[in-house]
Amino acid sequence: MITLATTKDIQDIATLYKSSWQNTYKELVPEDYLQSLSTKEIQTKWQLFLADAHTSPNIYLYRDHNQLLLGFIAIKQERHIGEIYALYVAKEAKGKGIGKLLFQTAMTYFETLRIGQVRIWVMQKNYPAVAFYQHLGGILEQTRTSTFDTYTVIDEAYRFDVFLSNT
């Protein structure tokens, strides 16, 4: 079931975010960086994200029938462009359509706001994520570098065009 997150969900979001980073990026960023991730700092990050009234942030959650958080997508708006800030699915739930469902929920939301383009940044060497976004129709738009401690990675921005209805 997909629901909209509140500050009460921050602990679950931080837990999934941290485990996702440690599982997904273990070959992409240094292990000591991944092990240094602080749950408390991550909680603060997501509290600040939800509190930013300038970007109209939302976090959609996917919970199973036992209310276990299996995925989330964080979205915001910057200058009439939608941004998928984060999309994470629990390791044990990957390949079950949860990421696609969360992505479609975000795109529907952006359409209701009449936002025609959406962007997401992904690490270039995160091949499963790159393939996922390309499969969904993402168009490579630009690259940038990100630094984690002293380690640098290349990120790619994928653009999605939202097909707005005439209503």
Side-chain angles (χ1 to χ4, degrees):
M1 173 168 61
I2 294 182
T3 58
L4 201 53
T6 68
T7 55
K8 294 177 186 176
D9 298 302
I10 295 294
Q11 173 65 43
D12 289 346
I13 291 166
T15 300
L16 179 56
Y17 178 87
K18 182 177 178 177
S19 67
S20 292
W21 264 75
Q22 291 175 335
N23 289 319
T24 303
Y25 302 132
K26 62 184 167 191
E27 304 295 324
L28 303 177
V29 298
E31 181 68 23
D32 58 338
Y33 177 83
L34 295 174
Q35 294 307 314
S36 73
L37 293 173
S38 159
T39 302
K40 185 175 181 175
E41 289 175 9
I42 295 168
Q43 288 175 327
T44 300
K45 167 192 173 106
W46 289 110
Q47 288 169 339
L48 292 171
F49 178 85
L50 280 177
D52 184 0
H54 298 298
T55 62
S56 303
N58 280 313
I59 301 174
Y60 289 98
L61 310 174
Y62 182 94
R63 293 185 183 274
D64 68 7
H65 63 282
N66 293 319
Q67 295 304 305
L68 178 66
L69 181 63
L70 296 179
F72 74 89
I73 189 167
I75 60 175
K76 62 184 182 173
Q77 177 184 348
E78 298 266 353
R79 298 180 306 264
H80 306 294
I81 296 175
E83 181 179 348
I84 298 172
Y85 183 74
L87 172 57
Y88 292 102
V89 175
K91 183 178 180 179
E92 66 274 11
K94 288 189 176 183
K96 298 183 179 183
I98 294 169
K100 185 176 181 181
L101 187 59
L102 287 165
F103 178 85
Q104 290 169 336
T105 300
M107 296 301 275
T108 298
Y109 174 77
F110 286 128
E111 184 175 10
T112 65
L113 293 180
R114 310 289 301 159
I115 292 174
Q117 288 188 350
V118 176
R119 177 181 301 129
I120 186 165
W121 287 95
V122 60
M123 286 185 201
Q124 185 181 57
K125 291 185 178 180
N126 183 354
Y127 301 121
V130 168
F132 175 75
Y133 296 122
Q134 288 174 342
H135 176 74
L136 292 172
I139 299 165
L140 179 59
E141 191 174 60
Q142 65 188 57
T143 61
R144 70 177 183 199
T145 58
S146 295
T147 303
F148 302 94
D149 290 334
T150 60
Y151 189 76
T152 300
V153 298
I154 298 172
D155 296 324
E156 296 178 335
Y158 285 87
R159 185 190 80 234
F160 298 88
D161 296 320
V162 181
F163 298 103
L164 303 171
S165 63
N166 292 327
T167 59

